Amino acid sequence: MKESVGYTVTLNIVITFIIIVFAFLSAALIYLKSNKVSKSITEIVEKYEGYNDVAKNDIQNKLNSIGYNKKAVSCEKYYNRIGEKERNNCTNTNIPNGSEGYCVFMCREMYDGEWYYYYKISTNLMLNIPIINDLLDIPIFSNTNRLYDFECQESICE
């Protein structure tokens, strides 16, 4: 009875365990990289107080240094994943639509009687595995801090 579990069964259990551990580890690393990209874009947009040409160039330089894969994404699909309340106040600022691999939405809100705007940034998980990369579409959203809107007056923004 000492050898009731065969070598093949034990080897299959070990191989399965290793595959599961590496799958969790790679998923954590991919999420970390996507979150880092989203945080970097958020910091750049806050630094330049908006998503303008200077911010776009800085974002492209940062994405190139990180090694983020620029895959065209459907910003319209990500826009539909935003909550109903925010969707009414947000507009897509990416032109062309998501060809940079991320989406930026500008949202307006009234807070304490003053108009503010903030940016909602969407990146997605990127894998370098051909079949899985097309099947996996998990967006990661981040928000900038509220920025005071100097140009918006109540009659225009309501």
Side-chain angles (χ1 to χ4, degrees), residues 3 116 131:
E3 308 221 7
Y116 292 89
I131 296 172

Side-chain angles (χ1 to χ4, degrees), residues 115-134:
W115 281 99
Y116 292 89
Y117 64 97
Y118 64 96
Y119 290 91
K120 192 166 200 65
I121 293 127
S122 169
T123 58
N124 58 346
L125 295 175
M126 292 288 188
L127 293 173
N128 290 331
I129 302 171
I131 296 172
I132 296 175
N133 195 23
D134 295 333

Side-chain angles (χ1 to χ4, degrees), residues 69-111:
N69 294 335
K70 297 175 190 167
K71 174 185 167 188
V73 294
S74 172
C75 291
E76 188 64 33
K77 183 168 51 170
Y78 291 148
Y79 179 74
N80 291 332
R81 291 185 182 181
I82 298 174
E84 184 69 33
K85 179 184 170 193
E86 288 183 322
R87 199 175 317 137
N88 295 332
N89 299 328
C90 295
T91 57
N92 187 3
T93 60
N94 281 35
I95 298 171
N97 193 14
S99 62
E100 297 91 6
Y102 61 93
C103 299
V104 178
F105 306 103
M106 183 177 151
C107 306
R108 293 191 187 275
E109 70 176 350
M110 184 175 267
Y111 182 75

Side-chain angles (χ1 to χ4, degrees), residues 44-53 55-56 117 119 147:
I44 291 170
V45 169
E46 287 177 349
K47 176 181 171 183
Y48 293 109
E49 295 182 0
Y51 185 66
N52 49 32
D53 292 334
K56 288 178 189 177
Y117 64 97
Y119 290 91
L147 303 168

Side-chain angles (χ1 to χ4, degrees), residues 144-157:
T144 62
N145 292 327
R146 280 191 297 261
L147 303 168
Y148 185 76
D149 197 350
F150 291 101
E151 297 176 1
C152 188
Q153 295 154 11
E154 290 188 32
S155 60
I156 297 172
C157 293

